[in-house]
Amino acid sequence: MSATVVEIVKSKNLKQKPNDDKLGFGKYFTDHMFVMDYTSEKGWIQPKITPYEPISLDPAAVIFHYGQTVFEGMKAYRTSDNKILLFRPDENFKRLNMSSERLAMPPVNEEEVLEYLKQLINVEKDWVPTAEGTSLYIRPFIIATEAFLGLAASKQYKLVMILSPVGSYYTGGIKPVSIKVEEHYTRAVRGGTGMAKTAGNYCATFNAQTKATSEGFTQVLWLDAIEKKYVEEVGTSNAFFKVNGEVITPELSGSILPGITRKSVIEMLKDWGVPVTERKVSIEEIFQYHKEGTLEEVFSTGTAAVISSIGELEWNGQKITVNNNKIGDLSQKLYDTLTGIQTGKIADPYNWTTEVK
Ligand code: COI
């Protein structure tokens, strides 16, 4: 596959790179970005790498009024022998197209966009951090750019890919976090856009997230919109429960994001012979397992957060502590194996990584 970027415009003002221990998440951006435009007459045109800069749009652009947009989150890792690896990037571009279809947006050529991304990372390779627990977070997104206030899908779009060197998503790293089960608001409903990676699903969580943060919680756990009974997902990730040796995760109901880390964790567990079930699981059931002493571990999975251990859950005025607020053995093994494969520290038996050359 040799999709070549038509134009590379190099930045004349290279930024000073932050120290790896100061990265945090999503605060710093590299010197260049990728941009490609779409018109309904010509399709996707003019792929180019440009200096990282503001995007100028007509104030009537559809994105500003009706939120027609999709995005992805993926990471590039530096190995100890200085290679750069991407983790299952084909899955991200497949999901980008799935999200676009839901939002009535045009698909991209997945293989070509992956080639463009590799070219961008090559230009920015010095930005891939080296310290343990760091990576280069990749945010591809598509916005509707047509200037038109009528309620209809845009006829013009822009695909942009930006890069951000990151450390851990949560300030405490892999340390167990405290989660509040949201009882009032809902995030998404079956038949809506919950399974698509689109802005509206995320800003619908800000209100509850802000309140939960002010009460000392790290994240919110969402329940289904209809019965407010079944576990859906955590704001940034998919939820898993280890009960009496078996791992349970909510099935993909149509309102949950089909996480790539979620899929990888399920595949690893099956490979290890750990029983894993995708099914409806109610929050009441989880609290009952805790009462009976069979709730062994709770964790969530996502690209940004990787594997995040959950130490406390609050629902309906009751707070439970899981595994004495310590990282469970299985959560730790999943984290070590997944990050080991991602960073090339351990062999990749599943062929999940792709080298950027
Ligand atoms: C990711 O894990 O890549 C995400 O998109 C989560 C993001 C909302 C921080």
Side-chain angles (χ1 to χ4, degrees):
M1 177 87 253
S2 61
T4 40
V5 168
V6 171
E7 203 186 341
I8 300 183
V9 184
K10 285 277 180 88
S11 170
K12 293 197 179 69
N13 295 308
L14 297 186
K15 299 170 189 168
Q16 188 169 1
K17 296 184 181 61
N19 286 338
D20 283 1
D21 59 344
K22 295 274 173 322
L23 291 176
F25 182 84
K27 295 190 292 183
Y28 301 100
F29 300 95
T30 67
D31 293 306
H32 299 87
M33 62 188 195
F34 172 86
V35 187
M36 177 163 75
D37 289 305
Y38 175 94
T39 69
S40 49
E41 300 83 39
K42 297 188 181 149
W44 289 105
I45 49 168
Q46 294 165 353
K48 50 179 182 281
I49 290 171
T50 69
Y52 185 97
E53 62 197 358
I55 299 169
S56 169
L57 290 180
D58 192 295
V62 175
I63 173 64
F64 295 137
H65 305 276
Y66 308 124
Q68 198 187 13
T69 178
V70 294
F71 73 96
E72 267 306 318
M74 52 210 288
K75 281 178 174 171
Y77 302 83
R78 190 179 292 283
T79 67
S80 57
D81 54 354
N82 234 357
K83 289 186 185 133
I84 298 173
L85 299 181
L86 286 167
F87 182 73
R88 308 191 85 173
D90 46 327
E91 292 285 342
N92 288 91
F93 290 119
K94 194 160 104 189
R95 190 173 63 185
L96 184 76
N97 275 343
M98 183 275 287
S99 299
S100 287
E101 194 195 356
R102 179 62 187 84
L103 275 285
M105 296 165 70
V108 293
N109 179 315
E110 295 164 25
E111 288 82 27
E112 263 176 35
V113 176
L114 176 54
E115 287 303 310
Y116 296 144
L117 172 62
K118 288 183 180 170
Q119 291 179 38
L120 176 65
I121 295 172
N122 250 316
V123 171
E124 300 292 60
K125 55 179 180 290
D126 293 347
W127 279 91
V128 182
T130 51
E132 175 95 27
T134 63
S135 57
L136 186 70
Y137 185 76
I138 302 156
R139 176 54 66 86
F141 61 101
I142 305 176
I143 49 175
T145 52
E146 186 187 5
F148 178 57
L149 294 184
L151 192 56
S154 175
K155 295 194 193 65
Q156 291 163 19
Y157 298 89
K158 199 179 268 299
L159 163 68
V160 185
M161 294 195 269
I162 55 173
L163 309 175
S164 171
V166 298
S168 27
Y169 186 76
Y170 296 122
T171 41
I174 191 199
K175 281 224 297 285
V177 297
S178 183
I179 300 275
K180 182 182 177 185
V181 180
E182 173 59 37
E183 289 162 64
H184 179 65
Y185 295 108
T186 46
R187 176 191 164 272
V189 68
R190 271 199 308 282
T193 58
M195 78 311 172
K197 218 160 164 61
T198 184
N201 292 338
Y202 293 83
C203 67
T205 69
F206 289 169
N207 188 324
Q209 175 65 43
T210 306
K211 186 154 183 289
T213 308
S214 73
E215 292 167 3
F217 298 97
T218 311
Q219 274 287 336
V220 167
L221 179 76
W222 295 93
L223 299 179
D224 78 279
I226 298 165
E227 295 180 74
K228 296 271 176 57
K229 185 171 167 187
Y230 297 103
V231 174
E232 294 256 296
E233 64 177 61
V234 182
T236 52
S237 40
N238 296 110
F240 286 78
F241 305 90
K242 180 166 172 257
V243 181
N244 220 0
E246 178 196 3
V247 177
I248 304 166
T249 191
E251 65 191 8
L252 298 177
S253 59
S255 51
I256 297 177
L257 186 84
I260 294 156
T261 314
R262 173 188 183 277
K263 181 175 175 170
S264 309
V265 160
I266 293 172
E267 287 170 31
M268 287 194 293
L269 290 173
K270 285 189 177 155
D271 192 27
W272 297 344
V274 177
V276 51
T277 316
E278 295 174 69
R279 66 164 169 89
K280 277 185 162 185
V281 53
S282 75
I283 191 67
E284 197 174 353
E285 193 184 329
I286 297 300
F287 274 64
Q288 184 60 28
Y289 292 139
H290 178 264
K291 207 161 152 194
E292 291 163 5
T294 53
L295 181 64
E296 295 161 348
E297 295 182 36
V298 182
F299 59 92
S300 69
T301 66
T303 299
V306 196
I307 306 285
S308 168
S309 169
I310 297 175
E312 287 178 330
L313 267 177
E314 189 188 278
W315 168 64
N316 203 13
Q318 309 162 60
K319 193 179 221 169
I320 58 172
T321 302
V322 186
N323 195 34
N324 292 322
N325 212 357
K326 295 212 172 64
I327 302 165
D329 292 345
L330 187 64
S331 313
Q332 186 72 55
K333 183 175 173 191
L334 284 164
Y335 178 86
D336 292 343
T337 311
L338 192 64
T339 55
I341 291 173
Q342 288 167 334
T343 56
K345 248 189 242 150
I346 59 176
D348 171 11
Y350 313 107
N351 258 324
W352 283 339
T353 53
T354 305
E355 189 180 345
V356 178
K357 288 191 193 145

